[in-house]
Structure formats: structure tokens, C-alpha cells
Amino acid sequence: MADAQINRQILLVSRPQGEASVSNFKLVETPLAPLAEGEVRVRNHYLSLDPYMRGRMDDAKSYAAPQPLNEVMIGGTVGVVTESRNAAFKAGDSVVGMFGWQEYGTSDGRGLNKVDASHVPLSAYLGAVGMPGVTAWYGLNRIIEPKAGETVAVSAASGAVGSVVGQLAKAAGCRVVGIAGGAEKCRYVVDTLGFDACVDYKASKLHDDLKVAAPNGIDGYFENVGGEVLDAVLARMNAFGRIALCGMISGYDGAPLPLKAPRFLLTQRLKLQGFIVSEHMEVWPQALKELGERVASKKLHFRESIAEGLDNAPEAFLGLLRGKNFGKQLVKLV
Amino acid sequence: MADAQINRQILLVSRPQGEASVSNFKLVETPLAPLAEGEVRVRNHYLSLDPYMRGRMDDAKSYAAPQPLNEVMIGGTVGVVTESRNAAFKAGDSVVGMFGWQEYGTSDGRGLNKVDASHVPLSAYLGAVGMPGVTAWYGLNRIIEPKAGETVAVSAASGAVGSVVGQLAKAAGCRVVGIAGGAEKCRYVVDTLGFDACVDYKASKLHDDLKVAAPNGIDGYFENVGGEVLDAVLARMNAFGRIALCGMISGYDGAPLPLKAPRFLLTQRLKLQGFIVSEHMEVWPQALKELGERVASKKLHFRESIAEGLDNAPEAFLGLLRGKNFGKQLVKLV
């Protein structure tokens, strides 16, 4: 009998005290069991790294159960079927799933979706045509509900979610203002993604720069960051503005951040709504169809930061929490 | 020719630096001009004192223009027509209007509404069947949208707005939890208004007491207070909870208060919406009809704190900002 094939996996082995670190993770090698009847095996090509994973590392009240210790870290993956004993899949099929931080995934087919990698690159199903894209679509269309001529702002504007928010808002006829960290990201947001303006939050004059970038105030805001960025935007919101609260990454890895002036929510009669895209599955088909068409026709641009190899996943994930990525953060597994 | 009748008025003569004080106001006596054709004169019986007035005293960006200096302070009034040269009104008519802090009002009829004081006491048109009542109605029915069996909480629960919120929510089949300052107010909220529970925010164990009062968490919250009360309630909100942000009185008179943990808005996928009832005039007829019927049939209870005489209006207003009133704060002018 041949040796069993080896699967490399990353487990969460401890919870962060304050900042997350590479020591919270551990790489293990596990032999793959032979496929049972009805099962399908996938070689994962890309692993998605996303801010929500930081929340799962804690044992705190949140919208999802914590990631169990000593199990494979949760995560979205795309890959190709290598072997199938399930009639719905055959070797060579491209599939998107939630196999987590590991090279191989085995499934009975549930939670696994075949995708067409001929017009849209496989990795995009973890980004613009995946969960981040639908997140952008939902927050923009179902919470902000932008009208042509309004000003829409988005933080983490060069990221997987923010870049889609801004391009969709631009297509809806809005003035679009990005907020990103550093001159290089800001240039990309304006020159490549086509935003009207981008403010560098690291330039230490966020209030003034926002005033210039959004001279008529802000009607819709898509929030990924929280903290002082949210404070600055709140002060520029117009009456009856809408805020889609998707993330607050600046407070994930350490002490939670306060909101300095909640009074603006009242004085400007704002609507602020937190959401999690996985609770709105009803919009996914429509959103994915629209996003896929836009990517295939080159009307929706995106950029990826790709870490090479599973070993580098923890370091890449910590970098994501600090904004070191530029565009969608992936780990290439083949 | 007889001496002109004297009207006593209170003007705003300076803006607060930090806390408001009686020195910001000044009582003046002004002779009344004879009525012109088309005008109507009203002897005001009650002046309404409301938290929003504090915002008008400042010269800051808000939803309304600041109160101009050296003019009569803004305010809702009810009274009786003493003289009319306007066909729509006759002497003896009971009317509600916005004559401000003064004993007499003169109007061309605009903004003046005749009310029926036979089934509903005149003063109630400044409270449960007036702006505060409609405020409660709007925030509850249009933002919180309570479902039977849910838990609804409201701060300043014994006040003009909060008392109506809770009674309407109770009528809608909810568990209703009040938050008020002091044991006496809490007893009233439960025993007279019929709330299921009331938490005394002055008892210094708001978090624990809320847990007991709302064992299943809070689905809808009507906020009048802000500050640490909002912090405590946020931590008890259930997923998909709704917060109607009506006021943040704890931060009006001094430094604005931060929100300690905005992350709950995200983790619990809350909707928070600020509103001003005067921007939703379309609901007033329906709301006033329902509120008037409930008061007339004794199904809606309310309580009033009545200061005697215009001279005492500034002191009563400052007391309102500190929660010294018990129920709707009025000034009796006759």
C-alpha cells in the first residue's frame, strides 16, 4: 500500500492576549484518509485571508462562534477537484468552498460550489466575485442606497471590499471618496479604480483632507475601519446620511475603540446599520451575477496581495490587520 | 387712550460656556401693540420646556438654526384666544402654537392649531398629545417597529417622551423596561405606567440591573439620554436590534460624551437611527389621533412637573437638563 498523501494544515493553538501573533498558529502535517463514497477531494489553490478571522480567534460574544482551538483555521478557499466519489463533481472542476487554512479539503459536497474560471480568474471568487464583493454590494445597495449625485465615502478603499464599493457607487453616478493608508494606495484608488478622490489617513490631517475631498459633505459611508477614521467621517456626514457598518478593523487587534462624538448621529439624523453578509444569502445570486459580469467585462478592477505558501499565512494575516496588504489578501497554495 | 397691555417675555441674552445658567436668560416687559387686521392674540396658559432647547442656545452646527440672541426663547405653548381679527379664530378658542417663553402671543394664524380641551386637558397638547407624544410614536413605530414578545427599553422613562414610548410598546405586546433616575421615578414607571421593570441608573449597577430587567436581551431601544446609559444598553442588545436615537440629554450641557463600545453595533448587526419629529409631519395626524384617544380613554397616563410663573422658567429648564423634573416639564403662565 502506498503512503497516504500528506495534507498540510494550520491550526489555531492559542487565543491572543491583546495583539494576535504567529505563535497563536501551528502548522501540522496530517495524512489524508481515503475518500469515502459520496466525498470529493479538492486541492486548494488559494486561501482567502479576511479581517473577520481576527474576531473568531477570540472567545468573545460575537455574531459567530469562536474558532475552536487545535482545529484548522476557518477560511474561504478556491481549488480544483482532484478526486471524486460524488456524482455532482468530477476531477478538474473548479470549486469555491470554506476548507480553511489547509492544502487539501474533503467534503460530502455541501458548501462546495462549482465556478467558471474561464472568464473570471479563479482567485477572484475569493474577492470581487466572492464574499468581499457581495459584502460591498449589500452594504451599498441595501443600506446606503446611493442616489446619483450624492457623495459616497468608503474606508480601506483599496481593499477587497472597499474597492468594489467605490466602483459600484461610481457606476451609480455618485461622487466617490476613498480613504486609504499611504500615497501609493491613494494613487491606485483614483488612477486605477476611478474614484474621484482619495484621502490618506496616515497623513495626519484627515479632517481637513476630507473637507476638500467631499466639499458637499458625505451622504453615504461604507465603514471597514472604525476608530479615528469613523470619527472624522461622522463630522462630515450630511443630514439623513446612511452608514453601512461592515467592519472596524482598527479596533480588532487590541483595545476596542470608542466613538468620539455620537451626537452627530442625532444632529444629522443618520442611519447606521451593522451587517454580516452571510446573513443575507438571498442577495448572493443577484450580486454575484452582476459582479461576475463586471469583472469579465473589465469594468470592475481589483488587485491582490499574494503570499506564497501555507507557511506564510499567519504572517500575511497579521499584515492584513495592520493594512500591509494592498488589495485582496490571498495565500497561494500551489 | 388706555395704557397698552404689558407682555412679559424671556429672552436669550448670552450663550452658555459649558453649562447653561440663569444668567443666559433675561425677563423683559414689552407693551403689546394693538392687533392688526388678520391677527389673533393668545394668552398662553402653559409653556413647554424641552431638552432640544439646550441645543438651540449654542451657536453650533445642528439640525436647527441657533436661537437668536436678544429674542424671545423658542418654545411650544398652549393658551386661549383673547382677541381675534382673524376669521379662523374667536375669543375663547383653545390653541396650541410656538409662541415661546412669553405670556402673550400674537399671530396671523399660521402655526396655530385649535384643540379640543373638553376630553383632553389643555396641557396634554404639550405632552402626550403633542410633540413629545408624536416623538415617542414615531421612534417606536417607524424605527423600532416592535413585534409582540420582544423586549423594548427606553431611557428617561418617566419623562414626557419615555412614558409614552413604554406604554405604546406595552400595548404592542412587548416586555417593556424603563430606565429612570431614582427609586421614586422607577416605582411610578412600573406601578402607574405599567412597565414590566424599571432600572435606576443612579444606583451605580446599571449593567447588572439591566441584565435582570431584560433577561432575554433588548430588541428595541428608544434613547433619550446617551452617555453611560447608552453604553450599558448597547451591551445588552440582541442581534438585529433597533435603536431610535431621539436625544442624548446627558451630553447636552457640557462636553459631548463618547460611545464606549461602538463595536456592538457591528457584532450585533444593530440599526441605529437619529430622528427629529418635526421632519416627519406626515405622521402627526395619525399619531395625534391615536394618542388623543388613548389619553381621553385613560389608557395613556402621563405626569407633569409644573413650575409656577414665567419668572421660574429658566430655573425649571436647568432642572430639566439635570433630570429634576418628574414627567413633562411645564411652566404655568396664568
Side-chain angles (χ1 to χ4, degrees):
Chain A
M1 188 180 148
D3 284 349
Q5 217 173 351
I6 292 298
N7 186 21
R8 303 198 323 141
Q9 310 176 304
I10 290 181
L11 317 181
L12 182 73
V13 293
S14 63
R15 302 199 185 280
Q17 308 296 321
E19 289 192 8
S21 83
V22 292
S23 70
N24 299 130
F25 303 98
K26 186 182 173 188
L27 182 80
V28 298
E29 301 199 340
T30 315
L32 284 167
L35 270 198
E37 183 56 37
E39 285 187 335
V40 54
R41 177 148 298 151
V42 178
R43 180 64 170 93
N44 297 323
H45 288 210
Y46 290 96
L47 162 66
S48 177
L49 295 179
D50 300 277
Y52 77 84
M53 294 167 172
R54 179 62 186 81
R56 302 294 179 90
M57 294 173 76
D58 290 330
D59 196 6
K61 184 183 176 185
S62 187
Y63 45 82
Q67 160 77 37
L69 287 178
N70 302 312
E71 292 189 12
V72 176
M73 265 297 287
I74 190 177
T77 48
V78 287
V80 174
V81 173
T82 54
E83 189 187 350
S84 178
R85 297 184 66 186
N86 180 315
F89 299 91
K90 62 177 194 303
D93 283 347
S94 295
V95 290
V96 56
M98 287 291 290
F99 283 126
W101 297 26
Q102 58 182 340
E103 291 178 345
Y104 286 90
T106 306
S107 162
D108 61 5
R110 279 181 292 189
L112 210 55
N113 289 299
K114 283 194 273 195
V115 293
D116 173 4
S118 61
H119 298 293
V120 169
L122 188 55
S123 63
Y125 290 104
L126 296 177
V129 193
M131 185 270 282
V134 180
T135 299
W137 191 99
Y138 183 88
L140 186 72
N141 290 313
R142 294 298 160 92
I143 296 176
I144 294 175
E145 301 181 275
K147 287 181 274 294
E150 288 190 328
T151 297
V152 170
V154 55
S155 57
S158 67
V161 175
S163 61
V164 177
V165 170
Q167 291 176 87
L168 293 181
K170 195 70 201 154
C174 296
R175 176 174 178 84
V176 178
V177 177
I179 301 168
E184 192 193 351
K185 286 181 180 175
C186 281
R187 262 195 309 276
Y188 167 75
V189 164
V190 172
D191 294 348
T192 304
L193 301 182
F195 288 30
D196 296 287
C198 188
V199 170
D200 176 6
Y201 72 83
K202 293 181 174 170
S204 304
K205 48 189 177 69
L206 195 45
H207 274 88
D208 294 342
D209 289 348
L210 268 179
K211 219 166 185 167
V212 173
N216 300 320
I218 296 168
D219 303 293
Y221 180 49
F222 192 107
E223 178 59 303
N224 292 305
V225 167
E228 63 180 18
V229 172
L230 180 53
D231 286 330
V233 172
L234 259 190
R236 296 294 303 155
M237 291 296 292
N238 289 329
F240 310 111
R242 292 85 61 197
I243 299 176
L245 185 58
C246 170
M248 305 182 91
I249 193 170
S250 66
Y252 287 177
D253 202 24
L257 296 167
L259 186 66
K260 215 180 279 176
R263 70 178 184 281
F264 289 121
L265 295 163
L266 176 60
T267 57
Q268 297 299 86
R269 294 85 89 205
L270 305 180
K271 182 181 84 170
L272 181 154
Q273 191 160 356
F275 74 103
I276 305 297
V277 73
S278 55
E279 292 173 336
H280 305 280
M281 293 312 294
E282 73 285 0
V283 310
W284 283 61
Q286 181 188 351
L288 286 176
K289 182 170 179 292
E290 182 181 334
L291 294 163
E293 287 168 0
R294 284 183 180 274
V295 166
S297 62
K298 315 278 184 212
K299 278 187 282 189
L300 187 64
H301 303 277
F302 60 91
R303 180 171 170 142
E304 297 168 340
S305 274
I306 298 179
E308 292 287 334
L310 188 66
D311 316 56
N312 289 313
E315 199 65 66
F317 176 65
L318 299 178
L320 170 73
L321 294 179
R322 285 154 192 68
K324 289 190 184 164
N325 60 308
F326 190 163
K328 171 67 198 167
Q329 181 67 56
L330 298 169
V331 181
K332 195 166 189 297
L333 300 176
V334 288
Chain B
M1 191 180 148
D3 284 348
Q5 217 171 352
I6 292 299
N7 185 20
R8 302 199 324 142
Q9 309 176 304
I10 289 181
L11 317 181
L12 182 73
V13 293
S14 63
R15 303 199 184 279
Q17 308 295 322
E19 289 191 9
S21 83
V22 293
S23 69
N24 299 131
F25 303 99
K26 185 182 173 188
L27 183 79
V28 297
E29 302 199 340
T30 315
L32 285 166
L35 272 197
E37 183 56 37
E39 286 187 333
V40 54
R41 177 149 298 151
V42 177
R43 180 63 170 96
N44 296 323
H45 287 208
Y46 291 96
L47 162 67
S48 176
L49 295 179
D50 300 278
Y52 76 84
M53 294 167 172
R54 179 62 187 81
R56 304 293 179 92
M57 293 174 75
D58 290 331
D59 195 7
K61 185 183 176 185
S62 186
Y63 45 82
Q67 160 77 37
L69 287 179
N70 302 311
E71 292 189 12
V72 176
M73 267 296 287
I74 191 176
T77 49
V78 287
V80 174
V81 172
T82 54
E83 190 187 348
S84 177
R85 298 185 64 186
N86 180 315
F89 298 91
K90 63 177 192 301
D93 282 348
S94 294
V95 290
V96 57
M98 287 290 290
F99 283 126
W101 298 26
Q102 58 182 340
E103 291 177 344
Y104 286 90
T106 305
S107 162
D108 62 4
R110 279 181 292 187
L112 211 55
N113 289 299
K114 284 193 273 193
V115 293
D116 173 3
S118 61
H119 298 292
V120 169
L122 188 56
S123 62
Y125 290 103
L126 296 177
V129 193
M131 186 269 282
V134 180
T135 299
W137 191 98
Y138 183 89
L140 185 73
N141 290 313
R142 294 299 161 91
I143 296 176
I144 295 175
E145 302 182 90
K147 288 182 273 294
E150 288 189 328
T151 297
V152 170
V154 55
S155 56
S158 66
V161 174
S163 60
V164 176
V165 170
Q167 293 177 87
L168 293 181
K170 194 71 201 153
C174 297
R175 175 174 178 83
V176 177
V177 176
I179 301 168
E184 191 192 353
K185 285 181 181 175
C186 281
R187 262 195 309 277
Y188 166 76
V189 163
V190 172
D191 295 347
T192 304
L193 300 182
F195 287 31
D196 296 287
C198 188
V199 169
D200 176 6
Y201 72 83
K202 292 181 175 171
S204 303
K205 49 191 177 69
L206 195 45
H207 274 87
D208 294 341
D209 288 347
L210 267 179
K211 219 167 185 166
V212 174
N216 300 321
I218 297 168
D219 303 292
Y221 180 49
F222 192 108
E223 177 61 301
N224 292 305
V225 166
E228 63 180 17
V229 172
L230 179 53
D231 286 330
V233 171
L234 258 190
R236 296 294 303 154
M237 291 296 294
N238 289 329
F240 310 111
R242 293 83 61 196
I243 300 176
L245 185 58
C246 170
M248 304 183 92
I249 194 169
S250 67
Y252 287 177
D253 202 25
L257 295 168
L259 187 66
K260 215 180 278 177
R263 70 178 183 281
F264 289 120
L265 295 164
L266 175 61
T267 57
Q268 296 299 86
R269 295 84 88 205
L270 306 180
K271 183 182 83 170
L272 181 154
Q273 191 160 356
F275 75 104
I276 306 296
V277 73
S278 56
E279 292 173 336
H280 304 281
M281 294 312 295
E282 73 285 359
V283 309
W284 283 60
Q286 181 188 350
L288 286 176
K289 182 170 180 292
E290 182 181 334
L291 295 163
E293 287 167 1
R294 285 184 180 274
V295 166
S297 63
K298 315 276 183 213
K299 279 189 282 190
L300 186 63
H301 303 278
F302 60 91
R303 178 169 171 143
E304 297 168 339
S305 274
I306 298 179
E308 293 286 334
L310 188 67
D311 316 55
N312 289 314
E315 199 65 66
F317 175 64
L318 299 178
L320 169 72
L321 294 178
R322 284 152 194 69
K324 290 190 184 162
N325 59 307
F326 190 163
K328 171 66 197 166
Q329 181 67 57
L330 298 170
V331 181
K332 196 165 189 296
L333 300 176
V334 289

